């Protein structure tokens, strides 16, 4: 009897995807709009936005926002913005260390060690109001300083259905 219960628990755990089904991923680009188009969704589906960030551990990415719009039949259903580093929880987090060699005029090299950080963070969710095909547009909003250019950072949006 215990084997059957354990087997059912293992099967339930394997079949359950706690972060949801991936519907699409798109890279956020500077001064441009990134889109995921034609997602066939049903009324009541919960759509969750995750931001996937890759940056130096010491960067100030927390100030960056993403504006997004969701449309169906060329009508905007939702328009909002969010801070790309704010969220309920994060997954797939890893830190790596990289050595960067700096050469000097005197011929002495020095090595700077920087920590790179990659993770996904759950940002926001959206409940689908009616059946149909939906388009998602995302735009990265950069405040006064551009960490993507200076720190070789990148961000993308993952759309998942929970």
């Amino acid at each position: 009897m215990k084997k059957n219960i354990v087997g059912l628990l293992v099967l339930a755990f394997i079949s359950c995807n706690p972060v949801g089904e991936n519907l699409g991923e798109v890279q956020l680009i500077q001064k441009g709009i990134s889109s995921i188009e034609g997602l066939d969704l049903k009324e009541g589906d919960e759509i969750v936005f995750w931001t996937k960030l890759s940056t130096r551990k010491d960067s100030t990415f927390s100030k960056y926002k993403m504006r997004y719009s969701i449309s169906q039949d060329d009508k905007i259903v939702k328009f909002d913005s969010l801070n790309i580093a704010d969220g309920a929880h994060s997954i797939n987090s890893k830190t790596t260390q990289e050595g960067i060699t700096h050469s000097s005029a005197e011929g002495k090299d020095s090595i700077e060690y920087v920590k790179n950080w990659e993770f996904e963070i759950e940002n926001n969710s959206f409940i689908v109001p009616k059946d149909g095909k939906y388009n998602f547009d995302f735009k990265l909003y950069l405040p006064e300083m551009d960490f993507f250019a200076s720190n070789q950072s990148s961000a993308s949006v993952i759309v998942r259905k929970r």
Side-chain angles (χ1 to χ4, degrees):
M1 180 71 170
K2 286 184 180 181
K3 287 183 182 180
N4 290 340
I5 292 173
V6 171
L8 287 174
L9 288 174
V10 168
L11 181 61
F13 180 72
I14 292 171
S15 64
C16 177
N17 187 348
V19 297
E21 171 191 353
N22 281 4
L23 299 178
E25 181 174 349
V26 65
Q27 185 79 28
L28 292 174
I29 54 175
Q30 295 181 46
K31 301 176 184 173
I33 296 174
S34 303
S35 300
I36 298 175
E37 297 180 346
L39 292 182
D40 193 17
L41 303 174
K42 303 291 183 205
E43 180 179 345
D45 285 347
E46 182 180 9
I47 304 305
V48 183
F49 300 128
W50 290 75
T51 305
K52 183 178 182 180
L53 295 167
S54 178
T55 186
R56 280 190 174 176
K57 192 84 167 166
D58 61 351
S59 78
T60 57
F61 62 85
S62 61
K63 296 180 182 178
Y64 294 84
K65 294 185 178 189
M66 175 183 70
R67 291 185 180 137
Y68 65 91
S69 70
I70 303 167
S71 61
Q72 180 193 34
D73 298 327
D74 295 326
K75 294 180 183 171
I76 293 178
V77 176
K78 183 170 184 172
F79 179 80
D80 205 351
S81 67
L82 56 88
N83 188 317
I84 65 172
D86 286 348
H89 65 277
S90 62
I91 60 172
N92 299 329
S93 179
K94 66 180 177 180
T95 303
T96 57
Q97 186 166 312
E98 175 185 7
I100 301 173
T101 304
H102 299 282
S103 298
S104 68
E106 295 85 35
K108 294 183 181 179
D109 290 346
S110 64
I111 299 176
E112 173 189 11
Y113 292 97
V114 295
K115 289 187 178 179
N116 297 311
W117 190 21
E118 185 175 303
F119 63 95
E120 296 173 24
I121 190 162
E122 181 180 349
N123 296 115
N124 206 349
S125 65
F126 164 73
I127 303 297
V128 176
K130 65 180 185 176
D131 293 2
K133 292 200 179 282
Y134 287 81
N135 298 324
F136 295 80
D137 295 320
F138 306 96
K139 182 170 180 148
L140 187 64
Y141 173 69
L142 305 171
E144 69 282 347
M145 191 168 71
D146 181 359
F147 85 97
F148 286 104
S150 62
N151 289 333
Q152 297 84 34
S153 300
S154 67
S156 59
V157 176
I158 303 169
V159 176
R160 293 184 169 124
K161 180 168 67 170
R162 195 178 336 220

